[in-house]
Amino acid sequence: MIDPRTCAARAGINCDPGLGAVVAPIQVSSAYRRADPARPGAFDYARTAQPGRAELAAAIAALEGASGAVVTSSGMAAIDLILNLIPNGARVICAHDCYGGARRLFDARAPQRGFDLVYADCTRPEFLGAVLRDGADLVFFETPSNPRLRLTDLAAACARARTAGALVVVDNTILSPALQRPIEHGADLVVSSLTKIINGHSDMVGGVVCATDKGHLEQLNWWANAAGAVSGAFDAFLAMRGLRTLPVRARVQSESALQIAEQLDAHPKVVRVDYPGLIRHPGHDIACRQQVKFGSLLSFELEEGPPAVRRLVQSLELFTLAQSLGGVESLSSIPATMTHAAMSPEARHKAGIGDGLVRLSGGLETVGAVWADLEQGLAAI
Ligand code: PLP
């Protein structure tokens, strides 16, 4: 592959043979004319395949180093699509601290689809090894995890899962292929929410599944078409436009987040900062091995606990209190009552998501402006 920045910048450029438009127009048509009733052309019906979606899938697959990709209507639709690859009675190992919405879906699908679901701490090789001893069909985890930014050694986890005969699915939403390519470390499938840093402008919802195996791709495409879990033409266009600047945004947002994490870490009112770029972070060495940069997401707790955290997020002016991450605008959230509210209090406790945890998604504003806002907010509590 050419370098990621060039690959992203050129994605979908010059692919309009008709008028020679540099950026291909949005093809809004839901159906394509056939010359022969028995033979479809390259495009036939937009649920099955759509030009903008196909270009976007090819570009993301190239960035991830995958054989191909399926673009879906959301990150959750991408995760759900993968569950079509496992047989009834399968054993699924899921990281106990994955995104709350993913956990809600796994919890609901397990009894409905008849698979065994085991939550495990995938960041600890010995724990993952122990649950894999009873066999597994699929292992699902995020690294870094959302919101505590725990790291899983991709190569070690993938090797263990493969020995047990399991497919490994990595949720790469937090970093994106600009900063981490799980397939290079042995993952079979990579899912991402396009809603986050890949699109990066907080103006669409989408997802993607990247696969290495052609048979898996065929099955995923079959199910995406059969169930209609695909994205529309406008969303695919927006995600493609965002993707072209992804490597540049991801680098700048990561560099800013590192400086903010260091400044928060030195602040007397802050008890702990979770950010893999900090040398004392338990996953720092793993992050240096498998990531290009440390990412734009960080979380922290305050000395004064939950009520102070609530006051802090409400007094921040530059950070918008909202349920997302990865946009060009900085966002704050309290995972316990927002992104991870679907988890039971016990599950949240086990995953280390306390009521006093704040998550920040660093945007493209200057570090000076972001820090000034955090400083005034911390002074106000
Ligand atoms: N995976 C992770 C790590 C997420 O943070 C999210 C959403 O926040 C999702 C998946 C789901 O993505 P979407 O909201 O596009 O369905």
Side-chain angles (χ1 to χ4, degrees):
M1 185 189 73
I2 49 175
D3 69 276
R5 198 167 134 183
T6 306
C7 178
R10 303 295 307 178
I13 299 292
N14 292 348
C15 62
D16 171 35
L19 294 176
V22 174
V23 175
I26 306 172
Q27 294 288 355
V28 293
S29 189
S30 54
Y32 294 79
R33 194 178 61 239
R34 284 192 187 197
D36 177 342
R39 229 172 304 176
F43 294 99
D44 188 44
Y45 188 58
R47 168 159 44 75
T48 315
Q50 193 275 340
R53 207 167 66 227
E55 289 290 343
L56 177 63
I60 299 175
L63 287 170
E64 285 284 7
S67 307
V70 182
V71 171
T72 57
S73 53
S74 69
M76 290 318 306
I79 296 171
D80 202 34
L81 190 60
I82 278 175
L83 294 178
N84 291 302
L85 298 178
I86 57 168
N88 279 350
R91 188 161 186 266
V92 173
I93 316 288
C94 180
H96 75 121
D97 56 352
C98 67
Y99 167 60
R103 226 184 130 121
R104 175 176 57 194
L105 178 70
F106 279 105
D107 283 343
R109 285 288 192 220
Q112 187 215 25
R113 287 272 324 278
F115 61 82
D116 278 342
L117 179 62
V118 180
Y119 285 111
D121 184 349
C122 295
T123 65
R124 301 274 294 273
E126 66 277 21
F127 290 172
L128 181 61
V131 289
L132 284 171
R133 236 169 265 141
D134 295 329
D137 297 278
L138 190 138
V139 175
F140 177 91
F141 61 87
E142 297 161 14
T143 180
S145 68
N146 173 13
R148 289 294 312 274
L149 287 308
R150 294 204 185 92
L151 271 281
T152 295
D153 183 326
L154 280 166
C158 292
R160 279 179 191 247
R162 183 154 293 180
T163 310
L167 287 178
V168 181
V169 184
V170 176
D171 184 332
N172 203 23
T173 298
I174 308 274
L175 293 180
S176 88
L179 300 184
Q180 176 172 269
R181 289 155 53 93
I183 288 170
E184 283 177 357
H185 302 278
D188 298 287
L189 296 138
V190 177
V191 293
S192 289
S193 166
L194 298 178
T195 321
K196 307 298 189 294
I197 197 161
I198 290 184
N199 173 54
H201 293 74
S202 304
D203 53 10
M204 55 76 69
V205 172
V208 65
V209 184
C210 294
T212 50
D213 179 271
K214 294 263 162 62
H216 288 152
L217 260 180
E218 239 168 69
Q219 281 187 70
L220 293 167
N221 271 312
W222 190 92
W223 278 105
N225 177 50
V230 295
S231 77
F234 287 97
D235 284 340
F237 172 82
L238 286 172
M240 180 66 113
R241 191 165 68 163
L243 182 79
R244 294 194 186 108
T245 54
L246 168 67
V248 180
R249 286 184 286 106
R251 175 175 53 75
V252 176
Q253 289 179 231
S254 292
E255 287 166 3
S256 301
L258 175 60
Q259 289 184 54
I260 295 299
E262 283 169 347
Q263 282 169 281
L264 279 172
D265 201 35
H267 197 282
K269 289 188 178 172
V270 174
V271 276
R272 193 202 63 247
V273 179
D274 299 316
Y275 188 69
L278 297 176
I279 291 166
R280 52 143 200 81
H281 184 279
H284 180 72
D285 290 345
I286 299 174
C288 290
R289 278 206 301 278
Q290 65 192 27
Q291 299 179 195
V292 176
K293 295 249 172 219
F294 301 111
S296 54
L297 201 68
L298 64 95
S299 56
F300 64 97
E301 287 196 20
L302 293 178
E303 183 80 55
E304 291 176 57
V309 158
R310 215 183 143 82
R311 286 199 299 277
L312 172 68
V313 293
Q314 286 177 323
S315 67
L316 294 176
E317 287 162 14
L318 190 138
F319 283 84
T320 304
L321 180 63
Q323 293 250 40
S324 200
L325 57 95
V328 296
E329 70 293 334
S330 288
L331 298 177
S332 65
S333 80
I334 299 185
T337 57
M338 296 173 71
T339 50
H340 291 65
M343 286 166 78
S344 68
E346 301 75 47
R348 274 202 304 273
H349 177 74
K350 234 175 143 183
I353 306 169
D355 294 346
L357 187 75
V358 193
R359 191 188 75 183
L360 299 182
S361 171
L364 279 184
E365 306 91 344
T366 62
V367 174
V370 170
W371 182 246
D373 192 33
L374 281 167
E375 240 184 348
Q376 71 75 24
L378 286 163
I381 56 172

